[in-house]
Amino acid sequence: MNRAVAVASLLVGGFAATLALASAMPGTIAMVTGGSRADVLVHSAAAGATLGAITAVTSVVLIRERRILAWTATLGLVLLAVMSWLPGSGQWELYPKAVGAGLLLGVLAGMCDTRERPILQTALATGALAGVLFAAPIERHLSPSPRRYADYLPASAVPPDRFMLGLLTLTAVALFLALRRDAFGMPEPTTTDGRVRVLTVGAAVPVVGLLLHWSSVRVVDEMGSTVASPGLWVFGLAVVPVFAAGSLWLPRRHGMVLVAVLAVVSASYGRLELSIDSLPPLLVAAVLVVMGAVCGRRWPHPLAGVAALAAVAATAVFEEQPWDNLHIGATVLGLPFAAAFTVAACLPSSAAATAISLAAPAAVTVSLPAQFGWTAYSPLTSSHNGLTSGSGLWVWTGVSVAAVVVSGITIAWLQRRPIEQPPSAATPV
């Protein structure tokens, strides 16, 4: 019973934290043509996700005592609750919302650092992945007007985010019961070795995502009314060496979960938002996330998950009817299961590596929205063989599959390293 309460708090809390990080934030719609567009580095969804990701890894590295973790979680929940109750309050809303989400995610990752780490981290990863994958579909189904338009509506016209408030309430109740019953168990002994390394990786990954977003906005502005070419976004490959190098730099096998997230990001890049147009497919995808996490925990073979993600990414070349149903089916049915399976199969990891990895998808996927890629600009084609005739889509699909393959190679290399020390031994953060 105690374990069930702890698992429930991690599922709901991880979902709420990454949902807040991946959702659109105020100040993300106004486009100012010309100039350096330095405003994107301060007021944008990518900026908020970057701040939240850095907050998450900093909190999990610096806060280790259970009582302080509990109070920090309370602070994160309060910040998110206030911002959910008072939406449309201006661009300043970006910062407390991001900090609150980062604190909550980092604290929950720290709570998992016990003898029950494999199960607890799997629960947290399941909720966090669901938050990232379903942020856009949930926003579209629940909001009468997208949250990114909040700055352009009267304050009275922007209702409180009741869905988020409900999630936060459930998280607070479940976390209180889990802490009251000591459901997480005794914390494992840790050392302070590698803190600088972990903080460096935890900051580098989201910052690169933010810089990528800034570069994308500048290129779009410079192009003016010219139709965007998908080939311009190949420079997004910059995130691949950052993820791979960061995972290799982390101790032992801790970086496996980070490079697994790279495979998920490369295979998804907003496809669920385009494929899910009603509530039933969303519920089916949510169930598949849970099933994938359970299977990944029982049969930890991450390379099998990477292969499935590569297959999902490859189906993007089918965009003509009726073959486009193959891509939609792979996205709705294959992507949620394969993503959760791959990440769960790479756990357990250290608390810090888990926080970095679960915050990274929000920071990086926010910086690669659909309006900057082929999904918004590719012209209709007249091919009838099911394959797109646009060379840009072939290039971007190939890049996506190649990034997933690189993730698999990196995971295979990391599997050659020594296995995690036993729970009784000290483990680095």
Side-chain angles (χ1 to χ4, degrees):
M1 179 63 180
N2 285 347
R3 179 188 291 182
V5 174
V7 167
S9 66
L10 293 169
L11 276 171
V12 181
F15 180 70
T18 55
L19 183 65
L21 284 178
S23 298
M25 297 187 183
T28 63
I29 191 66
M31 298 291 289
V32 181
T33 58
S36 63
R37 289 310 312 270
D39 59 296
V40 174
L41 300 175
V42 181
H43 295 298
S44 67
T50 299
L51 176 61
I54 294 176
T55 301
V57 66
T58 302
S59 61
V60 76
V61 169
L62 299 182
I63 305 174
R64 308 301 302 172
E65 205 272 324
R66 182 62 56 85
R67 181 173 60 87
I68 302 178
L69 284 172
W71 283 110
T72 305
T74 303
L75 176 60
L77 288 169
V78 169
L79 287 174
L80 284 176
V82 171
M83 293 303 101
S84 300
W85 187 259
L86 301 173
S89 49
Q91 291 183 338
W92 68 272
E93 177 188 347
L94 171 78
Y95 306 106
K97 180 180 179 182
V99 170
L103 288 176
L104 180 60
L105 183 60
V107 165
L108 292 178
M111 292 285 188
C112 295
D113 210 3
T114 69
R115 297 179 186 276
E116 299 289 338
R117 211 157 29 117
I119 295 176
L120 296 180
Q121 286 186 348
T122 300
L124 178 61
T126 303
L129 277 176
V132 171
L133 291 174
F134 304 146
I138 287 176
E139 180 181 3
R140 186 171 60 188
H141 285 293
L142 296 182
S143 179
S145 60
R147 282 281 294 109
R148 59 181 175 271
Y149 295 122
D151 289 345
Y152 303 91
L153 297 174
S156 58
V158 183
D161 190 345
R162 301 187 187 279
F163 182 74
M164 178 60 71
L165 287 171
L167 286 177
L168 296 175
T169 302
L170 289 176
T171 302
V173 172
L175 191 57
F176 174 79
L177 293 176
L179 291 172
R180 186 71 179 269
R181 298 181 177 185
D182 198 20
F184 292 100
M186 294 297 296
E188 287 187 346
T190 59
T191 69
T192 58
D193 297 339
R195 282 192 174 186
V196 174
R197 186 187 309 183
V198 168
L199 288 172
T200 301
V201 174
V205 170
V207 166
V208 167
L210 176 60
L211 294 176
L212 173 61
H213 177 68
W214 171 64
S215 300
S216 301
V217 172
R218 289 193 63 188
V219 172
V220 170
D221 286 352
E222 291 172 359
M223 289 166 54
S225 60
T226 306
V227 175
S229 170
L232 293 173
W233 313 122
V234 176
F235 67 82
L237 282 171
V239 301
V240 177
V242 172
F243 272 80
S247 64
L248 293 172
W249 199 26
L250 292 174
R252 295 192 295 279
R253 298 186 180 184
H254 294 167
M256 283 178 57
V257 64
L258 178 60
V259 77
V261 164
L262 171 62
V264 173
V265 171
S266 302
S268 58
Y269 62 87
R271 284 172 175 158
L272 275 176
E273 178 182 7
L274 302 173
S275 300
I276 294 180
D277 55 1
S278 60
L279 189 58
L282 182 61
L283 296 177
V284 171
V287 172
L288 289 172
V289 168
V290 176
M291 292 177 58
V294 172
C295 293
R297 180 75 269 131
R298 266 186 173 278
W299 301 285
H301 299 291
L303 293 181
V306 171
L309 289 172
V312 171
T315 61
V317 298
F318 295 98
E319 69 167 5
E320 294 295 323
Q321 295 182 350
W323 293 99
D324 61 332
N325 291 325
L326 177 63
H327 177 50
I328 294 174
T331 300
V332 176
L333 302 178
L335 176 61
F337 182 91
F341 179 93
T342 306
V343 173
C346 292
L347 295 171
S349 185
S350 68
T354 303
I356 295 171
S357 304
L358 298 182
V364 176
T365 55
V366 163
S367 66
L368 292 172
Q371 60 262 36
F372 289 139
W374 60 267
T375 52
Y377 296 105
S378 60
L380 296 175
T381 62
S382 58
S383 61
H384 300 284
N385 58 359
L387 299 177
T388 176
S389 60
S391 60
L393 182 55
W394 280 92
V395 171
W396 189 236
T397 302
V399 166
S400 177
V401 174
V404 177
V405 171
V406 170
S407 302
I409 294 173
T410 308
I411 289 176
W413 180 269
L414 288 171
Q415 285 181 321
R416 302 171 58 184
R417 290 183 174 181
I419 301 177
E420 177 73 68
Q421 292 181 2
S424 58
T427 56
V429 294

